[in-house]
Amino acid sequence: MRPKPTAGTVLARLDALPDPGARASDWEGGAVVLIRRGQTVTAFANLCPHAGLPLCLPDGRGLLHKGETLVCPVHGASFDAASGECTGGPAAGDRLTAIPVEIVGAEVRAL
């Protein structure tokens, strides 16, 4: 399991996140996946609970279906973008590890 960021750690600039969209963090080589929907950003550990593989593509992009569902690019597990709960695929019954965040000015920071 990857480390969690400490409070105040800058994970990304808000303007670097697609809206709506998902992207790996700037912190720790993309250890956190950030999901933006308007002025709301949710964050999770960038690991699928099914096989422990990254939820983002090698270039850092996350697959966000209809702005609501994060899809693992490896085996297709899908997760609710707000809660991290698995909504389909091989990770059924699992959920993503939430990383609390806040927007401070133009930055997304860990709480």
Side-chain angles (χ1 to χ4, degrees), residues 56 70 78 93-94:
C56 292
L70 182 65
S78 55
D94 285 326

Side-chain angles (χ1 to χ4, degrees), residues 46-64:
N46 190 9
L47 290 174
C48 180
H50 167 241
L53 298 170
L55 289 162
C56 292
L57 297 166
D59 67 2
R61 290 178 299 133
L63 304 175
L64 190 64

Side-chain angles (χ1 to χ4, degrees), residues 1-6 11 25 27-28 30-32 45-47 97 99:
M1 177 147 190
R2 293 181 172 178
K4 290 185 181 179
T6 57
L11 300 175
S25 66
W27 179 77
E28 289 288 316
V32 175
N46 190 9
L47 290 174
T97 301
I99 306 291

Side-chain angles (χ1 to χ4, degrees), residues 34-53:
L34 301 159
I35 302 168
R36 179 177 180 186
R37 293 172 295 148
Q39 291 301 314
T40 301
V41 176
T42 53
F44 301 97
N46 190 9
L47 290 174
C48 180
H50 167 241
L53 298 170

Side-chain angles (χ1 to χ4, degrees), residues 8-33:
T9 299
V10 176
L11 300 175
R13 290 191 49 81
L14 185 62
D15 61 6
L17 300 176
D19 181 17
R23 186 128 192 95
S25 66
D26 295 334
W27 179 77
E28 289 288 316
V32 175
V33 58

